[in-house]
Amino acid sequence: FTTMLILCLNTIRRHPLLLAIFLLVWSAHGVKSDSQFDPYKVLGVSRSATQAEIKRAYKNLVREWHPDKNKDPNAEDMFIKISKSYEILSNDERRSNFDRYGQMDENQPFGQSQHHGFRSFHNNFYFDESFFHFPRSRDFADSEYMLHHAQFNSDILPDSHKRPYLIKVTSDWCFACIHIEPVWKEAVQELKPLGVGIGIVDLGYERRLATQLGAHRAPSIIGLVNGRLTFFHQAVVREHLRQFVEDLLPQKLVEKITDDNYQPFLDKWREENKPSVLLFDQLPVVPLLYKRFAFRDYVRFGYVDQGETSNSRLLRQFSINTYAPIMLLFKENTEKPVDVIQARGMKRQIMDEFVSNNKFLQVPRLVSQQIFDELCPVKQFHRRRKYCVLLLTGEDSAFVTSNKAFLDFAAANKKDVLRFAYVYQHQQQPLCQALLQSQTAVSPQVVILERRSQAGKVLYRSVSGGWNGSEEDKYRLHEQLELLQKDPTYLSSDTTLPELNNELAPIFIIRWINDAYDYLLQVYDDLLYSNCKTCRREMMPILSLIFSALFILFGTVIIQAFSEPGESQPQKPKKKEQTATEDESSKRANTSSRPPKKDFVEVTELTDITYTSNLVKLRPGHLNVVLVLTDASKNALLRKFAKEVFSFSGAETLHFSFLNADKHGLWMPSLLRRACDAAQSQNQSDEDDEPTDYTGHVLALNGYKKYFCLFRPVFTGDGLNDSSSESSVSSDSRRKSRSRSRSSSHSRSRSHSREDGARLKRGSNRATSIDVHHKLDKLGLWMERLMEGTLPRLHVPAWPTLEDVTKTC
């Protein structure tokens, strides 16, 4: 056979035509062999499948063909094909390349796709993996750690502030990557149970992510902590990788504790506002397992070596068993731990659960907005109320007795619905002024509040008599807390709280020095280990920063040197201008509240296509909140509507839509007439002559039970001229009548519903005098009443259609 093959090759070499035919046949064979791999067929999806369908098919196939679960001999190969197919179809660029040219290599130029057959012949002849007999395919276990560009920026970077990451940059046909693979697997098996995140980046498929990481060659190992990247430059040994991860963490994450310093360590709870954890073990060096990076902002950790003789008094005081690791957690009482855990095989999950249940003191101090959000969460459901009992006090010696009494009261009233905390008035002055409605408070004051929205809106009530820590004060506070749990309407006042000051945050100059120091270390590392091209690329940002700072500094000095003395003195504004400015600022402060961080809500337009699904066939228990607008008021009303209903957009039973009155102007009158007929009202002869401007009206439609609740624009007294005073009086009377109807009996509520249905169109005439941007000012309160179920309901026999609406009832 070998002799015949040599004769054939010699014959083909002497005849160029035969050689060309042979190459074409071989290339066609190569194209056919490559085209046999179809990722769509492997995943079982069509070429028009969406990303959600592809991901769903991938998860089902991975669950079925995982080698640990499927004992089929071909399970591993099938698992690799499934992973390869998902890598191609989950990336839009690679999927487009495959659909257009049948190629899977994103680095191949599009213009050379017509030569794919010859390139395939070249690759199969020289670089076929079966020729060299070493596996080119990736280990199936690595697919768990593969990173993509979007996933890295959305998940890994934020998570690096909670735990360290070790990332390996690899590539196909990388002999050095194959050499370090056994060491890498051993390091992963050791570090992953300790809480270290693992990631793998393929340099061939994720060049964009590799460029972002600064990895231009394979193999490379990178450490990631707090969003900062650090390259590993030592020999790839398991001990070096472990030490590299430990060096990434802050140096003072765990403090070494002895008999001499354990008491000062525990006494710092008041200064740092954190519980303290003492870890007892027999190892001379703090293990990586005990360096809980995720809880550094909540708990202080101290490590005690049980083998040292200098810790004998500490071991005797707390009766420590030296045969197993033990954790003691202390809060305000430093003499006795509030929680203890001991396990012979201490694991990360046990430690995390133990610390998570004790992240705060019994009565923590509100030192930042983050702690306030976690201690006093926003009310999500009607039955899950969380009340925050807040003590507004001071840190002087005169307040020690009252603060201690408040701590004792909180320790004796441990209920899930109550959260106790305190603030220092001079540290959080804006918060105290908003709750006390005054500039300062002479004595400590207790305030009970309930958060209602992320925008800072709260319902609260101040406990009368102040707080001196006496038995009478404790009895009064206990009585009011019992009354609050029976009647939630006890919180009668509402306000918008400002964001809390971060008392523990370092000043700007300290943060800038720390960031500059970290950046200089990174540049020095690049200068030491990278080539000249990389050095220049890394040096450009810091050089630009230095020259910009020097330019600003010298520019300021030169301007001040050549400016006249009179120019540097600020001119006093005129009295009239100053008065106007103060009036404008006060009006702006009274009329505006702090908007939510994200003022976007999905709002669907009710058209002939969406009308049936969004109303007629709405699922039971679901409501569609519909805003009526026109083309002229669309932008202003939608923006205001999104801000008012944003805090309720998390409810799964609420849907938000809008109806264009210019397109479907007869739908609203027809709906109101049907409601009037259902309420047996006979006022149609007067209503037909009234104008029908329903701009700014909001309806909560229950398509299943065929009823709706109506919101009409209400005058708030903001930004209107004197001609609207009559509208103000009428709207105030309507609000009073509604409040009286809420407190009446059930039959009284039904009669109010009929009267409200009879006056629906007459209310629209008064609403026309309200400015567009003020029509939805009271929508937030109306939405709260809607969620509580206290709004009157107007029933209709059937919903009118958008296309067949007539003026006749």
Side-chain angles (χ1 to χ4, degrees), residues 207-224:
R207 288 192 177 276
R208 186 180 178 187
L209 177 56
T211 303
Q212 179 180 347
L213 297 176
H216 306 288
R217 61 184 180 86
S220 296
I221 297 178
I222 305 172
L224 176 64

Side-chain angles (χ1 to χ4, degrees), residues 4 14 120 161 244 516 528:
M4 292 178 61
R14 289 194 296 267
S120 177
H161 294 269
F244 174 67
L528 188 61

Side-chain angles (χ1 to χ4, degrees), residues 40 87 157 554 569 652 781:
Y40 292 101
E87 289 180 6
L157 269 181
F554 285 103
Q569 299 178 357
E652 298 179 357
L781 299 176

Side-chain angles (χ1 to χ4, degrees), residues 763-783:
S764 64
N765 186 24
R766 291 189 292 270
T768 56
S769 62
I770 305 177
D771 294 340
V772 173
H773 60 281
H774 284 295
K775 287 192 173 185
L776 302 179
D777 283 346
K778 294 294 183 178
L779 182 60
L781 299 176
W782 183 82
M783 289 293 299

Side-chain angles (χ1 to χ4, degrees), residues 435-451:
L435 293 175
L436 299 178
Q437 301 295 331
S438 61
Q439 297 297 325
T440 58
V442 179
S443 60
Q445 181 71 40
V446 176
V447 178
I448 307 172
L449 60 88
E450 179 188 15
R451 297 185 63 198

Side-chain angles (χ1 to χ4, degrees), residues 628 659-674 692 694 761 800-808:
V628 181
L659 178 73
N660 195 331
D662 293 339
K663 299 179 182 179
H664 311 284
L666 299 179
W667 184 85
M668 188 73 177
S670 177
L671 175 66
L672 299 181
R673 279 192 293 270
R674 296 189 183 200
T692 57
Y694 300 101
K761 290 187 178 181
T801 59
L802 291 180
E803 62 273 14
D804 297 329
V805 173
T806 59
K807 289 187 178 181
T808 60

Side-chain angles (χ1 to χ4, degrees), residues 115-174:
H115 305 296
H116 178 76
F118 294 98
R119 230 180 12 261
S120 177
F121 159 74
H122 183 272
N123 292 337
N124 290 334
F125 190 81
Y126 289 101
F127 300 100
D128 187 77
E129 58 186 53
S130 62
F131 186 84
F132 289 102
H133 300 285
F134 71 91
R136 182 183 176 185
S137 60
R138 184 183 300 116
D139 188 1
F140 70 92
D142 290 346
S143 60
E144 178 184 356
Y145 311 113
M146 295 301 299
L147 301 181
H148 304 284
H149 184 265
Q151 174 197 4
F152 177 81
N153 290 280
S154 61
D155 299 335
I156 304 303
L157 269 181
D159 195 46
S160 67
H161 294 269
K162 299 180 181 179
R163 61 171 175 166
Y165 272 86
L166 196 64
I167 302 174
K168 181 184 70 172
V169 180
T170 183
S171 177
D172 294 336
W173 304 103
C174 173

